[in-house]
């Protein structure tokens, strides 16, 4: 099932996402023009919780890929109950629609 269908089933049919898998070469398209950052964080949190890991936000970076604006969210992660942050999870979102809004 495409990620957008999973997210719309969880958050509602009007959830502002398009195609994409949140990978660097296939960022999830956010169609929200104003509050796209909240959409990104909500999706990342949902995905991390479904992975069953503890997580902590590390950083956010904006990239320009072939004229598209792509936001990268980076989280430290670890298995539940583990003492050390041993994993890194990265999520990529195409925020061109909202970022270039005038």
């Amino acid at each position: 099932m495409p990620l957008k269908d999973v997210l719309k089933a969880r958050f509602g049919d009007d959830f502002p996402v398009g195609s994409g898998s949140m990978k660097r070469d296939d960022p999830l398209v956010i169609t929200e023009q104003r509050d796209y950052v909240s959409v990104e964080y909500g999706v990342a949190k949902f995905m991390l919780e479904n992975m069953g890991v503890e997580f902590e936000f590390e950083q956010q970076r904006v990239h320009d890929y072939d004229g598209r604006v792509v936001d990268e969210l980076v989280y430290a992660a670890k298995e539940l109950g583990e003492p050390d942050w041993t994993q890194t999870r990265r999520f990529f979102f195409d925020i061109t629609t909202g970022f270039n809004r005038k």
Side-chain angles (χ1 to χ4, degrees):
M1 177 182 289
L3 179 57
K4 77 174 186 173
D5 294 341
V6 171
L7 295 171
K8 287 179 183 268
R10 168 60 180 88
F11 296 107
D13 286 335
D14 61 346
F15 195 64
V17 295
S19 63
S21 63
M22 293 194 303
K23 296 184 182 195
R24 181 184 317 264
D25 61 347
D26 186 29
L28 180 66
V29 175
I30 305 296
T31 59
E32 173 61 47
Q33 292 186 1
R34 289 186 172 82
D35 197 17
Y36 55 88
V37 175
S38 294
V39 174
E40 293 176 85
Y41 280 85
V43 170
K45 181 179 182 215
F46 171 72
M47 297 301 290
L48 287 160
E49 287 173 347
N50 280 309
M51 291 175 188
V53 295
E54 291 182 54
F55 57 92
E56 187 174 282
F57 178 74
E58 284 191 334
Q59 62 182 306
Q60 181 173 1
R61 293 183 261 196
V62 176
H63 306 277
D64 182 358
Y65 293 142
D66 298 323
R68 295 185 310 162
V69 180
V70 176
D71 215 359
E72 175 186 7
L73 300 184
V74 181
Y75 290 84
K78 63 182 178 177
E79 298 302 317
L80 296 175
E82 288 294 317
D84 299 318
W85 300 100
T86 58
Q87 304 169 31
T88 301
R89 305 288 181 175
R90 297 174 189 279
F91 303 104
F92 295 86
F93 301 91
D94 183 335
I95 58 168
T96 306
T97 299
F99 194 85
N100 289 331
R101 190 171 101 30
K102 298 203 187 270

